[in-house]
Amino acid sequence: MDSTDWLEWHTPYEDETSELSGRLRSVQRGIRAHLDARPDGPIRAISACAGQGRDLIEVLATHPARDRVTARLVELDPRNVAVARAAATANGLTGVEVIEGDAAAIDSYADAVPADMVLFCGVFGNIVPADVERTVRALPQLCTPGATVIWTRGRHDPDIRDTIRAWFTDAGFEELSFDAPENVGWSVGINRLTTTPHPLEPGLRLFTFTH
């Protein structure tokens, strides 16, 4: 049973020196790099367990590509959904849709994929390894050819980060970067799909939170 208060979980973001803020900055660098590499044309993004959407919304607020991006953020906690929606509205991001829904259900993304950028941040540290593997192997269902996936995982016991990286390779992704500073507990991986995307499998469940 998950007893985490996912609204309170965001509090460390208010401290720029916190590890959570450091992880956020790393994820945002990856988002900016993806947007910078796409100087024209529409960009579609999805974010699983999006929380308050700070990673994507804060980047889009000032990025030149903001009006070319359509995004679906999927978050289960209605309080965080409200915060994310308010932030998107305050920044005039009409292409950002925040839905209150189950990010583990692939149907939550059905009419928002294939996506050019897929965010799975704050997910892999809260599910069992078998679900991490299942999710990684299912990600080609959510991607356009050459899509970028940004994911996070902490130095949890067991530390399966290298195994996750291998699962991405097996699933048809090349690793663009893996940011894991020695003195912090977080890591951020960025991968590009190099195989042919897979058709969406309706009804598929990717994971169960076990925090």
Side-chain angles (χ1 to χ4, degrees):
M1 184 80 172
D2 186 1
S3 59
T4 301
D5 185 325
W6 292 107
L7 181 68
E8 183 67 23
W9 182 89
H10 289 73
T11 300
Y13 281 128
E14 306 307 321
D15 177 3
E16 292 186 358
T17 67
S18 71
E19 288 207 0
L20 196 59
S21 291
R23 191 190 78 175
L24 174 64
R25 289 191 291 271
S26 181
V27 171
Q28 290 179 334
R29 285 193 293 271
I31 293 172
R32 287 192 187 93
H34 177 85
L35 297 177
D36 290 345
R38 300 284 300 272
D40 50 47
I43 301 170
R44 177 180 278 187
I46 59 172
S47 178
C49 301
Q52 297 175 359
R54 297 186 182 215
D55 44 16
L56 187 59
I57 291 172
E58 289 181 4
V59 172
L60 291 180
T62 59
H63 198 280
R66 51 177 286 142
D67 294 329
R68 295 189 287 112
V69 176
T70 56
R72 172 170 295 179
L73 282 57
V74 182
E75 166 61 29
L76 193 59
D77 190 307
R79 300 167 300 170
N80 287 327
V81 169
V83 172
R85 285 175 177 166
T89 298
N91 287 286
L93 299 174
T94 58
V96 174
E97 173 192 26
V98 186
I99 69 168
E100 183 181 334
D102 184 359
I106 206 163
D107 291 347
S108 294
Y109 314 98
D111 57 350
V113 294
D116 308 294
M117 180 166 52
V118 176
L119 306 181
F120 267 74
C121 302
V123 179
F124 293 164
N126 294 291
I127 62 180
V128 298
D131 280 0
V132 177
E133 181 178 11
R134 178 183 301 108
T135 300
V136 170
R137 296 190 183 281
L139 287 176
Q141 298 184 36
L142 303 176
C143 294
T144 60
T148 296
V149 175
I150 303 177
W151 58 276
T152 65
R153 166 77 187 204
R155 299 178 187 271
H156 306 308
D157 184 20
D159 187 349
I160 64 167
R161 290 175 298 165
D162 285 342
T163 303
I164 295 173
R165 296 165 74 184
W167 285 335
F168 268 96
T169 299
D170 291 344
F173 292 87
E174 67 170 329
E175 185 171 279
L176 300 181
S177 66
F178 184 69
D179 187 13
E182 288 295 331
N183 60 337
V184 299
W186 53 263
S187 56
V188 176
I190 303 179
N191 295 73
R192 177 187 292 131
L193 183 67
T194 57
T195 191
T196 302
H198 301 173
L200 201 70
E201 182 182 336
L204 178 67
R205 287 200 59 79
L206 301 174
F207 57 81
T208 300
F209 256 51
T210 60
H211 186 74

